[in-house]
Amino acid sequence: MKTLILNDSTDIPVAGRIIRDGGLVAFPTETVYGLGASAYSDTAAKKIYAAKGRPSDNPLIVHICDAAKLCDVARDVSDAAKTVIDRFMPGPITVILKKKACIPDSVTGGLGTVGIRCPENPVAREFIRAAGVPVAAPSANISGKPSPTSARHVIDDMMGKIDAVIDGGDCTVGLESTIVDMTADIPVILRPGAVTYDMLKEVIPDILIDKNILDTVADNEAPKCPGTKYKHYSPDADVFVIEGEKEKVQVKIKELIKENAAKRVGVLFMYDAVYDDAVMLCAGRDNKEYAHNLFNALREFDRLGIELVFAEFSDDTGYGLAVKNRLYKAAGHKVIYV
Ligand code: AMP
Ligand code: MG
C-alpha cells in the first residue's frame, strides 16, 4: 500500500475522504499521533488492529471534534461525567461511558463501554470534522513500541501499512491522554496523563486512582483498562529506572556504566550530563519536559543501537505519575531505588 504524507493545512479534506471511504489516517493530537478509522465501521476498525499488530480485545478511543458530539456515541452521562467534560474537554483526557449501539464491538474490544476524547489540537479537530464521523484511534505505533510523538515516528512504524499520515509536527504533551472511568459510582483514573490527579480532584473530590497504574497485571486477570495487560512502550534496548535523590542516582548510574563497559550504554538524564562512556539524552528538567521527551528518547536510543538504558527519575508529582507509569512499563518494571 502507498502511504500518502499529507500537509496539515491544505490536505485535510483528502484525509477526511479517506476515513469516509473506510481507510486509515494517522493524525497529530496534543498527546501522541493517533491511527484513525471511522468509528462507525467494523471493517475499518479491524484494519487498525491489523496495521498495528494489536490484540483485538484492546479497545480504541473514539475521537470527536466537539464535546457536544459525545451524545452521538455515549449514553447515561452522569452529572460527575458532565462536570469533567465541561472542565477538561477539549483536552488530553478520555472519559469512559456506556456506548451507544452505533459503535461496533470491534472498536470497544467487545466492551459495553466506550472511551471518548475530544482533542485540543486544531489539526486533529479539523480532520475529525472533515471525516464527518467520529474517528476511532489508538496510538499510531506498532503494538508494543513507544507511542509516536512526531510524523517521523509514524512513518518509521507504519509506512506501507496505512493510507496516509498528516504531518502536524511534534506533539506538545508527548504522553497519551488521562483515562477516567465515569461508569462506576466513584470515578477512577485508569491511566495518568496531562490532566493530573490533582486537577481532577478539584472537580471530583472522591476520585480514585486504579491500583494497576504502577503494577503489572497478571495474564489471567481481566484488567479494567484492557490495554494495561499488554507489553507497552518497549524499545529494543533493555531499560532500567534509577530512582531517588539526585546525588545517589548519579553515583549508582556511574557504577552501572562501569559494570556494563562491554555494552553500548545510554543514559536518559534529568539533572546534569555527568556521565562518561555513555550516550546521553536529556529527559528535561522537570516532569512536564520529561513527558514531552520520553518516547522520542526511547526511539532515539534504538536508532543509535543502544543495548542498555539507565533512566534517571525523581518524583511522581504533577505529570510525574504519568511519566512514571510509562517509564516503568518501558523498563518492564526493572526499577533500582537508591
Ligand atoms: P492507546 O491510545 O493506544 O493507548 O489505546 C487506547 C487505550 O484506551 C486502550 O489501550 C485502553 O487502555 C483504553 N480504553 C479505550 N476504551 C476503553 C474502555 N471502554 N474501557 C477501558 N479502557 C479503554
Ligand atoms: Mg497505544
Side-chain angles (χ1 to χ4, degrees):
M1 179 190 288
K2 187 166 182 291
T3 303
L4 301 173
I5 299 174
L6 301 177
N7 181 287
D8 65 346
S9 57
T10 53
D11 294 336
I12 300 295
V14 178
R17 162 52 65 95
I18 293 171
I19 296 295
R20 278 199 304 285
D21 289 346
L24 301 185
V25 178
F27 62 101
T29 79
E30 68 275 22
T31 59
V32 300
Y33 273 71
L35 179 56
S38 167
Y40 291 155
S41 166
D42 177 62
T43 45
K46 284 180 177 150
K47 287 186 195 169
I48 293 180
Y49 290 92
K52 282 185 57 109
R54 182 178 176 102
S56 62
D57 63 348
N58 189 358
L60 313 176
I61 290 171
V62 172
H63 293 69
I64 51 180
C65 60
D66 186 327
K69 300 256 186 205
L70 194 128
C71 299
D72 294 352
V73 292
R75 60 190 173 85
D76 302 348
V77 184
S78 66
D79 287 342
K82 282 183 192 143
T83 307
V84 168
I85 291 158
D86 284 349
R87 174 71 182 78
F88 299 111
M89 266 193 196
I93 191 165
T94 297
V95 293
I96 307 292
L97 293 164
K98 286 192 184 149
K99 83 174 184 79
K100 280 195 170 160
C102 57
I103 301 295
D105 282 349
S106 51
V107 167
T108 62
L111 299 171
T113 56
V114 58
I116 304 161
R117 171 157 138 71
C118 178
E120 199 165 29
N121 180 309
V123 175
R125 291 171 73 185
E126 205 191 320
F127 158 64
I128 301 162
R129 202 169 292 123
V133 286
V135 172
S139 51
N141 52 291
I142 290 171
S143 194
K145 290 284 161 204
S147 298
T149 58
S150 70
R152 165 50 52 195
H153 298 160
V154 178
I155 290 165
D156 287 346
D157 279 16
M158 290 294 162
M159 208 61 180
K161 297 180 188 167
I162 62 177
D163 296 286
V165 49
I166 304 170
D167 186 350
D170 288 352
C171 300
T172 50
V173 173
L175 294 182
E176 305 86 344
S177 58
T178 305
I179 300 181
V180 188
D181 182 359
M182 303 294 318
T183 62
D185 287 341
I186 301 176
V188 186
I189 300 173
L190 299 181
R191 178 171 76 184
V195 175
T196 63
Y197 172 66
D198 290 336
M199 289 159 74
L200 283 159
K201 218 172 155 52
E202 267 179 35
V203 294
I204 309 180
D206 57 353
I207 194 158
L208 301 172
I209 303 183
D210 189 68
K211 72 171 179 52
N212 289 322
I213 277 181
L214 296 176
D215 297 346
T216 38
V217 178
D219 280 350
N220 55 359
E221 213 180 309
K224 276 225 195 66
C225 197
T228 53
K229 78 176 173 196
Y230 295 108
K231 201 171 157 208
H232 255 91
Y233 321 121
S234 310
D236 298 333
D238 207 11
V239 179
F240 287 79
V241 181
I242 319 299
E243 186 169 330
E245 282 169 27
K246 174 180 165 178
E247 285 74 21
K248 289 182 182 166
V249 165
Q250 290 181 336
V251 168
K252 184 68 188 174
I253 292 180
K254 283 180 184 168
E255 272 173 35
L256 288 165
I257 293 172
K258 276 206 189 112
E259 283 168 23
N260 291 280
K263 291 200 170 149
R264 285 177 65 84
V265 174
V267 178
L268 185 57
F269 70 95
M270 277 196 90
Y271 308 115
D272 320 290
V274 293
Y275 307 103
D276 296 323
D277 304 319
V279 170
M280 283 173 281
L281 293 178
C282 183
R285 282 175 307 269
D286 58 31
N287 284 326
K288 191 169 183 178
E289 289 184 11
Y290 208 134
H292 181 75
N293 295 325
L294 175 61
F295 288 146
N296 184 57
L298 293 176
R299 283 177 176 261
E300 193 61 16
F301 282 128
D302 279 353
R303 208 182 59 78
L304 296 167
I306 297 299
E307 296 162 276
L308 197 52
V309 171
F310 300 118
E312 297 181 347
F313 185 71
S314 64
D315 71 282
D316 51 18
T317 53
Y319 277 48
L321 187 63
V323 172
K324 189 168 173 170
N325 168 257
R326 310 314 193 275
L327 193 56
Y328 275 31
K329 286 187 179 193
H333 291 262
K334 298 190 297 298
V335 185
I336 300 172
Y337 300 97
V338 290

